[in-house]
Amino acid sequence: MAADIAHHVVSALPIKIALIGALGIGAQWLAWRLQRPAIVLMAIAGLIFGPLLGYILTLGLPDSVRDVVEVFRLDPVKDFGELYRPMIGLAVAIILFEGGLTLRFKDLGDARHAVVRMVIFASPIAWFLGTCAAHYIVGLRWDISAMIGGLFVVTGPTVIMPLLRQAHLKSRPANVLKWEGIVNDPLGALFAVGGYEFIRFTMTEASMFAVFGKLAFAAILGTVMGIISGYGLAWAFRRGHIPEYLKAPIVLAWVLAIYVLANTLADETGLLAVTALGMTMANTKFASMVEMRRFKENIAIILVSGVFVILTATLTPDILKAFFSDWRVLAFVAAMMLVVRPVAVMLSTLWSGLTWRESLLISFIAPRGVVAVAVAGLFAAELNALGDPYTQGAYFVPLAFALVFATVLFAGFFIAPLAKMLKLDAGDGDGVLIVGANPWSLGLAKSLKEMGIKVLVADTNWRRLRGARLEGHATFYGEVLSENADYTLDHSAFNHLIAATPNDAYNALVCVEFAPELDRHRVFQVGSKEAEDKDDDAIAFTSRGRVLTSRGRSFDALTRDWWSGWRFRSTNLSESYTLEDLYKDRGDDLDLILGRKADGHLEFIQPGQENRAEGMTVLSFCPAKDTDVARGQGAKSGQKGGQGSSLAGPASPLPQ
C-alpha cells in the first residue's frame, strides 16, 4: 500500500516544485540565522536531495524504500524535461533585471572610474589569462579554453549582494564589487557565446566577419531594446497610462518578452537586454520605483534559491568525482583565484583612484554564481552535441561548480576578516539611527554613546541638531526619506532605527520605509497616545514601527517626564542586582528601553518582555534621585551591584 502511494506521488511534478522552494527558502533562512553564505547552504541542499539520494537508489534497497526515496529525489533534467533550459534562462533573466534595478549612477560616487576600468579592462585581461589557464593547466583546445575563460569573467550578483550585507564594507569597494558583479554577468555570457560562435564558424563555410558581425549587431540591438523599453515603461508610469496594481506584473511580463526577443537574435544577448532594461529604469524617476524594486527583489530571492538548488541537484557522481580526483580541476581553480583575478584587478585599477588595500580586497573577492553554472551547463550540452573533438566541453560543468564552490566559500568566510585586516570595514553596523532631535531623544543618544553604542541623529532642522553636535554625535541634516538621503546617509553605520518626532504619522512612515532594509523587528517609534488608550482610528499596527519602551509611553508623556526630572540610566543586571532590585530602587513605573548582551548585540525591550533584560546592561528611563542630580552615586545603588550605572542627559537641551 505504501509503495502504491509513493509511486503515485512521485509521478506528480508539483511535489518536486514545492520541495525545491522549501529547500531554497529554508537555506536562505538558515543562512540568515547563522550569518553564513546562503549559496553554500543552497548547494548543500541540492547535493543531498540530488546526487546523494541518487546514489542511495543504487544500493539495492527494497522496492518500497526506493519508491519513498524517489519521492524526495530531485532530478531536474528528467523532472522538467524540455522545460529545463528555458526555465533556467528566464529565471536568470529576472535575476539580472532585478540586479540592474539597483544600479543607479548616482550611487557610484568616487568609485566611477574604478568600475569603468573593471568592466572595460579587467574583463578582457581576465578572459585572456583564464583562456591560458584552461589550455595549459587543464589541457583543453584553444577554442574551448576561450569559451571557459570568457564565461568565468562573471562574478555573481546573487552571491555578491548577500556578502556585502554581511561584511559591512566601506562604500567605495562595496560599489565596485556590486557594479562589477551585475554588469559582468551578461558580458561573461557573451564572451562564452563569442567562443561558441567561433567554433561554429570553423565548422561551416560562413565568414568570420558574418558570424561575429551578427553577434555584435544582436548585442547592440538587444541593449538598445532594453534602454528604449525602459524609458517607455517609465514614461507610461509617470503619465498614468498603467494603473498601480498592474505596474509590477507588466514589468515582469515585459522583462520576459525582451529576454526572449533578444535571444532570438543571438544566444544569451537577452541577458544583456534585461540588464540594460533594469539599469535604465533604475536611473529614471517615477513614483513606484521603491515598490517595484521590493517586488522584484522578492521574486529574485525565490528564483535564486530555486535555481541554485536545481543546478546542484543536476550534478552526477562522475562530476563530483572530478572535483577531487582530477588535479587539473583543483589547479585551474587555484590559478583563477590566486593569479588570474588578482593580476586582472591590479592592472586595471592602476591610477583609478582606488587604494592598494581596496584593489587587494577586490582582487580576492570574486565569487561566481548562478549565471556561470547555468551557462556552463548549456554550453556543455551544445559542445557535446557537436561530437569529437568538442566532447572536451564536458569539463565545463565540473570546472564551473568547482570554481563556484571555492570562490563562494572563500568569499563567504574571509571577506569580513580580510576587510578588517585591510581596514576597509565600516564597523559592525550595530548602531542606532535616531530620527528627530529633541531633549528626550538627545538624552537617549548620550546614554547610548556612553554605553559604547554608535549613534546617528537625523533632523530637518539645523538648530535642533545643535545639542547632538555638542555631544559629538554623528548627525544627518536633511530629510531621511529623501532621494538625497539614499546617496549621502551612511546606511552601513546602523541596523536599528528609532523614530522620535512629535508626529506619529511621520514616525510610522519612516519606520515603514526603513523596515525592508533593516527588518521590521529593528524599527521603533514613540507614539502619540498612551499605550492604554484604544483608538480604532489610530494607525494600523502593520503600518507603523514597533513600540519603543517597555511601557509604550507617548511622545508627550516622555517629554513631560523629561522636564519633570526623569533621566536615562544604564545598569548592569546580574545575580546580585536583578531587575526586581532595579524596580525597587527606581520605582515600578520606570521604562526599560533596551539591553545590551554580553556579545554586544542590542535587544529592545517590548511591553510584556521585561524579564528578557535579566543578565544584560539595561538602559532605563526613570525618575532621578537627588544624589543622581548631583552626579553622584547613591550608597544603596553602589552596595547593591549597580556598578557601571550612569545617568545621562543632553548638553544644553533646547526646549521645543
Side-chain angles (χ1 to χ4, degrees):
M1 183 67 178
D4 293 337
I5 295 175
H7 179 73
H8 174 72
V9 174
V10 76
S11 64
L13 185 59
I15 193 172
K16 304 285 187 177
I17 298 175
L19 180 60
I20 291 170
L23 292 175
I25 299 301
Q28 292 270 14
W29 176 83
L30 188 60
W32 169 75
R33 292 290 299 178
L34 300 178
Q35 290 297 298
R36 291 293 181 264
I39 195 170
V40 175
L41 299 180
M42 290 186 286
I44 293 174
L47 290 173
I48 292 174
F49 286 85
L52 180 59
L53 291 186
Y55 172 75
I56 292 176
L57 290 174
T58 65
L59 299 180
L61 301 173
D63 290 343
S64 58
V65 177
R66 285 176 55 87
D67 290 338
V68 173
V69 173
E70 278 286 0
V71 173
F72 299 100
R73 185 216 174 182
L74 296 177
D75 186 357
V77 177
K78 177 183 176 182
D79 295 335
F80 295 103
E82 295 182 356
L83 293 177
Y84 174 71
R85 287 188 192 173
M87 180 182 67
I88 295 296
L90 292 173
V92 171
I94 296 173
I95 293 168
L96 284 181
F97 170 75
E98 191 276 331
L101 278 180
T102 67
L103 300 182
R104 293 178 297 182
F105 295 121
K106 289 184 178 180
D107 291 345
L108 279 173
D110 56 355
R112 183 181 304 271
H113 296 298
V115 169
V116 172
R117 287 171 174 266
M118 288 291 293
V119 174
I120 295 178
F121 299 115
S123 297
I125 294 173
W127 186 7
F128 171 75
L129 295 177
T131 300
C132 294
H135 177 71
Y136 289 111
I137 296 177
V138 187
L140 301 180
R141 294 166 50 95
W142 276 111
D143 45 11
I144 296 179
S145 297
M147 291 182 63
I148 291 177
L151 175 60
F152 292 156
V153 165
V154 304
T155 55
T158 57
V159 192
I160 286 289
M161 302 308 289
L163 284 177
L164 294 180
R165 287 194 291 267
Q166 170 190 337
H168 298 289
L169 297 181
K170 290 184 177 179
S171 60
R172 188 160 62 181
N175 280 333
V176 173
L177 288 171
K178 179 178 73 173
W179 275 76
E180 181 207 7
I182 295 173
V183 175
N184 271 5
D185 249 19
L187 287 181
L190 280 179
F191 290 162
V193 170
Y196 179 69
E197 292 297 329
F198 176 78
I199 292 175
R200 291 180 58 187
F201 157 75
T202 59
M203 299 181 64
T204 64
E205 297 180 356
S207 66
M208 183 178 293
F209 176 79
V211 172
F212 287 98
K214 176 186 175 182
L215 179 61
F217 174 76
I220 295 173
L221 184 58
T223 303
V224 172
M225 288 168 51
I227 294 174
I228 293 177
S229 59
Y231 280 115
L233 284 174
W235 175 84
F237 290 167
R238 286 196 300 267
R239 298 296 296 270
H241 295 306
I242 300 176
E244 286 294 325
Y245 73 96
L246 282 181
K247 287 182 178 179
I250 285 177
V251 170
L252 178 60
W254 190 247
V255 168
L256 300 180
I258 287 293
Y259 169 75
V260 172
L261 184 59
N263 260 12
T264 59
L265 302 175
D267 290 337
E268 308 309 322
T269 55
L271 298 181
L272 197 62
V274 296
T275 304
L277 172 61
M279 290 178 62
T280 302
M281 297 191 68
N283 290 279
T284 56
K285 292 183 178 181
F286 56 94
S288 304
M289 172 55 76
V290 175
E291 292 80 4
M292 187 76 61
R293 188 176 291 117
R294 291 174 184 169
F295 174 75
K296 297 301 180 186
E297 183 179 8
N298 292 336
I299 292 180
I301 290 174
I302 296 174
L303 291 177
V304 167
S305 306
V307 166
F308 212 81
V309 170
I310 289 173
L311 291 173
T312 51
T314 61
L315 292 176
T316 64
D318 291 337
I319 294 176
L320 293 175
K321 184 179 179 181
F323 289 172
F324 306 102
S325 62
D326 194 336
W327 66 270
R328 294 176 298 178
V329 173
L330 300 178
F332 174 78
V333 170
M336 293 293 292
M337 294 177 60
L338 304 178
V339 179
V340 174
R341 171 71 176 182
V343 171
V345 172
M346 289 298 185
L347 290 178
S348 62
T349 55
L350 290 174
W351 305 291
S352 66
L354 294 183
T355 65
W356 70 268
R357 289 186 176 88
E358 292 170 332
S359 295
L360 186 62
L361 175 69
I362 294 169
S363 67
F364 284 108
I365 304 301
R368 276 67 171 185
V370 169
V371 172
V373 175
V375 177
L378 170 65
F379 282 117
E382 295 291 343
L383 290 173
N384 186 62
L386 296 178
D388 290 330
Y390 298 107
T391 53
Q392 284 186 335
Y395 269 98
F396 250 117
V397 176
L399 289 177
F401 271 101
L403 190 61
V404 166
F405 275 109
T407 55
V408 168
L409 286 173
F410 179 84
F413 289 105
F414 290 100
I415 184 172
L418 185 60
K420 289 183 179 179
M421 183 179 69
L422 296 174
K423 299 180 180 179
L424 295 176
D425 64 311
D428 56 10
D430 202 8
V432 178
L433 169 64
I434 299 178
V435 180
N438 51 71
W440 184 85
S441 66
L442 294 182
L444 174 62
K446 181 179 180 181
S447 62
L448 291 174
K449 182 179 179 181
E450 291 176 348
M451 292 176 65
I453 301 169
K454 296 179 182 178
V455 179
L456 174 63
V457 182
D459 202 288
T460 56
N461 187 295
W462 181 259
R463 180 174 175 269
R464 286 200 294 264
L465 286 173
R466 176 175 178 268
R469 294 193 299 272
L470 290 175
E471 291 290 348
H473 301 307
T475 61
F476 176 78
Y477 169 53
E479 175 56 69
V480 295
L481 300 178
S482 67
E483 186 177 4
N484 177 63
D486 290 338
Y487 310 130
T488 58
L489 183 61
D490 185 7
H491 290 248
S492 65
F494 58 88
N495 58 11
H496 294 85
L497 177 142
I498 297 175
T501 75
N503 190 327
D504 188 45
Y506 177 76
N507 292 340
L509 182 61
V510 170
C511 290
V512 169
E513 181 70 19
F514 279 84
E517 177 184 348
L518 302 178
D519 291 335
R520 191 178 184 277
H521 68 283
R522 292 178 175 173
V523 293
F524 302 86
Q525 71 176 90
V526 296
S528 61
K529 296 178 178 291
E530 296 291 356
E532 60 269 22
D533 290 345
K534 295 183 179 180
D535 185 358
D536 293 335
D537 296 327
I539 299 174
F541 170 76
T542 55
S543 300
R544 59 187 295 118
R546 302 180 75 189
V547 175
L548 183 69
T549 79
S550 61
R551 298 191 179 277
R553 281 189 173 92
S554 68
F555 179 86
D556 291 340
L558 292 172
T559 303
R560 181 188 64 240
D561 291 338
W562 173 267
W563 291 115
S564 66
W566 285 42
R567 290 297 182 265
F568 294 95
R569 187 173 190 264
S570 61
T571 308
N572 297 329
L573 298 183
S574 61
E575 294 182 358
S576 60
Y577 190 80
T578 65
L579 180 62
E580 183 179 355
D581 293 327
L582 180 61
Y583 278 123
K584 291 179 180 179
D585 206 13
R586 293 289 168 164
D588 291 337
D589 57 345
L590 67 78
D591 247 343
L592 299 178
I593 309 295
L594 57 84
R596 188 168 193 178
K597 301 179 181 178
D599 59 6
H601 288 94
L602 305 182
E603 180 166 342
F604 283 73
I605 310 300
Q606 296 283 282
Q609 299 180 352
E610 291 83 356
N611 290 335
R612 300 181 69 172
E614 292 286 4
M616 294 189 288
T617 300
V618 65
L619 178 65
S620 59
F621 184 55
C622 55
K625 291 186 174 181
D626 294 339
T627 51
D628 291 329
V629 175
R631 308 300 295 175
Q633 292 295 330
K636 180 181 178 181
S637 298
Q639 294 170 358
K640 294 192 70 174
Q643 184 178 1
S645 302
S646 62
L647 199 75
S652 304
L654 301 173
Q656 305 297 308

